[in-house]
Amino acid sequence: LFQGALLLFFTFFITYDEPSAQAEDANLVASQLAGIFPLFQDIQVMLVVGLGLLLTFLPRYGLSVLTHNFLLLNFSTQWALVLQGLLHRFHHGRLHLDLRNLLTAEFAAVTVLISVGAVLGRTSPCQLLVVATCEVPVYLASEWAIVTCLGVLDVGGTITIHVFSCYFGLGVSKALFGAARRPVHPKETTTPHSDLLSLVGTLILWVFWPSFVAVLCQPGDAQHRAILNTFLAMSASAVTTVVASSLLERDSKLSPGHLQNGSLAGGVAIGAVADMAVPPVAALALGSLSAVACVLGFKFLTPLLARKLALQDQCGIHNLHGLPGILGGAASAVAILVASEDTSGSRFSQVSPVGGDTNEGAWRWWGDRGAGGQALCQAVGLAVAVGGSLLAGLLTGAALRLPCLARPPERLCFDDSLYFKIQDQAESPGPGGTAEEGALALKERV
């Protein structure tokens, strides 16, 4: 139904920008496309391959993770294109589509892909699609309030994407699963093979992450700084993760989970300050601190939240996106306060927010209120992202408890056989209730 309605909507309302009539304008468009398309390709690899493989740490849920990630990315992007077009790009009865608009729609989809990590393996595809349907408009409203109204500077989406999606997902998890503590499911245990696949996903994300942060920066100095700062932060987080994990684990052995997540924490934290004229040591320090926060979160905070609040966070999104995101948001306020007027002026006059267009509101607030006022805006934007996303997540999680959106049976959670025809099982059901599980899977699909 959604795809059919979307086809009709695109038929009557969606069109491309008209080609430029002047040769100079055409050359400018070609130059802009040559600059942005390679970064767009990098982001596609990140979201489809890197993020999908990162979530394959569950050994019997790999097919489901990759498929659901791919489905949600496309569903959420199309849904965001429609909403963004209606809100911002509706002219003379038509919606004009361009590559930059597609990028911002994919950023809305990223929030969904991150949020569902909190409930991975215990939710059905229908429930995940409902999460996407609810989260995308809430994200667009949150991004508008934070970037346009408050003038928050967040070119890499630290606050508007990572913090928002983390607490939205935690809100969904808390409302969906309630206050009952759930024991560890026997199919949750990782294997060397699943950990290896997940680590490959981490490496892919690590390589392409600077493109994600820098793609919407103004070409030139701002984009150059964003790439350099992101690389330094992620390099520091990778080294720090190895050190911190070896210090915290027995016999100084490394935890695969720490490596899979802590190595990326620097990329999450640096987004809010990536194109600021901060010294290289600041990017290194922020990357190291974010990695320490991520590793400590996995080691101590996640078990504490599960024990005290019965909060389920299947993929540890609070450790990878929440804690580093808050750290990055706080760092942006500090960077603004300590930046000299000359340096900050050249930086803030060129910023492009994650929403797309040049953030004139941020420049106005900076000029009218000074560094203290802009730093306050960063703090308020961080609070809005946390509070608004948590409330919206709780409401969405409550909606997922409707009887028509029944969760998978507990015994079939974290298992591909619920949604996929596994060839070995189809040919020889074997002992141990496999046939019964197949019948339950068929019933669930119906």
Side-chain angles (χ1 to χ4, degrees), residues 308-365:
K308 298 295 184 181
L309 301 179
L311 181 62
Q312 178 177 317
D313 183 5
Q314 192 64 47
C315 295
I317 62 173
H318 190 227
N319 306 315
L320 176 55
H321 302 278
L323 297 179
I326 292 175
L327 184 62
S332 69
V334 174
I336 291 170
L337 289 175
V338 302
S340 66
E341 184 175 355
D342 292 339
T343 302
S344 60
S346 63
R347 176 260 180 274
F348 289 119
S349 62
Q350 296 181 4
V351 67
S352 279
V354 72
D357 298 326
T358 301
N359 191 355
E360 297 176 355
W363 170 240
R364 182 179 64 254
W365 280 52

Side-chain angles (χ1 to χ4, degrees), residues 144-379:
W144 173 82
I146 293 171
V147 174
T148 304
C149 297
L150 292 174
V152 170
L153 302 166
D154 186 24
V155 72
T158 295
I159 298 172
T160 53
I161 292 180
H162 296 287
V163 172
F164 171 87
S165 58
C166 168
Y167 289 98
F168 188 97
L170 294 181
V172 170
S173 178
K174 182 61 179 176
L176 179 60
F177 299 121
R181 289 189 59 189
R182 293 178 176 271
V184 176
H185 198 283
K187 297 175 185 176
E188 288 185 70
T189 305
T190 63
T191 64
H193 178 71
S194 65
D195 277 331
L196 179 61
L197 278 179
S198 182
L199 188 56
V200 170
T202 295
L203 298 179
I204 293 173
L205 289 169
W206 193 95
V207 168
F208 292 114
W209 202 290
S211 297
F212 180 85
V213 174
V215 65
L216 291 182
C217 292
Q218 288 292 330
D221 290 341
Q223 196 169 66
H224 188 210
R225 282 196 299 269
I227 294 173
L228 293 177
N229 285 333
T230 304
F231 174 81
L232 291 176
M234 299 196 70
S235 181
S237 66
V239 175
T240 304
T241 297
V242 173
V243 175
S245 181
S246 64
L247 290 175
L248 290 174
E249 295 297 317
R250 291 182 178 181
D251 302 326
S252 298
K253 293 183 178 180
L254 303 179
S255 166
H258 294 168
L259 292 176
Q260 293 155 6
N261 295 273
S263 302
L264 304 174
V268 174
I270 198 65
V273 299
D275 59 343
M276 294 185 183
V278 296
V281 67
L284 288 170
L286 186 57
S288 296
L289 289 175
S290 62
V292 170
C294 181
V295 173
L296 291 178
F298 273 104
K299 186 68 176 180
F300 302 108
L301 186 58
T302 296
L304 179 65
L305 293 176
R307 186 170 60 252
K308 298 295 184 181
L309 301 179
L311 181 62
Q312 178 177 317
D313 183 5
Q314 192 64 47
C315 295
I317 62 173
H318 190 227
N319 306 315
L320 176 55
H321 302 278
L323 297 179
I326 292 175
L327 184 62
S332 69
V334 174
I336 291 170
L337 289 175
V338 302
S340 66
E341 184 175 355
D342 292 339
T343 302
S344 60
S346 63
R347 176 260 180 274
F348 289 119
S349 62
Q350 296 181 4
V351 67
S352 279
V354 72
D357 298 326
T358 301
N359 191 355
E360 297 176 355
W363 170 240
R364 182 179 64 254
W365 280 52
W366 172 264
D368 294 344
R369 299 196 176 189
Q374 185 60 46
L376 180 61
C377 288
Q378 300 295 116

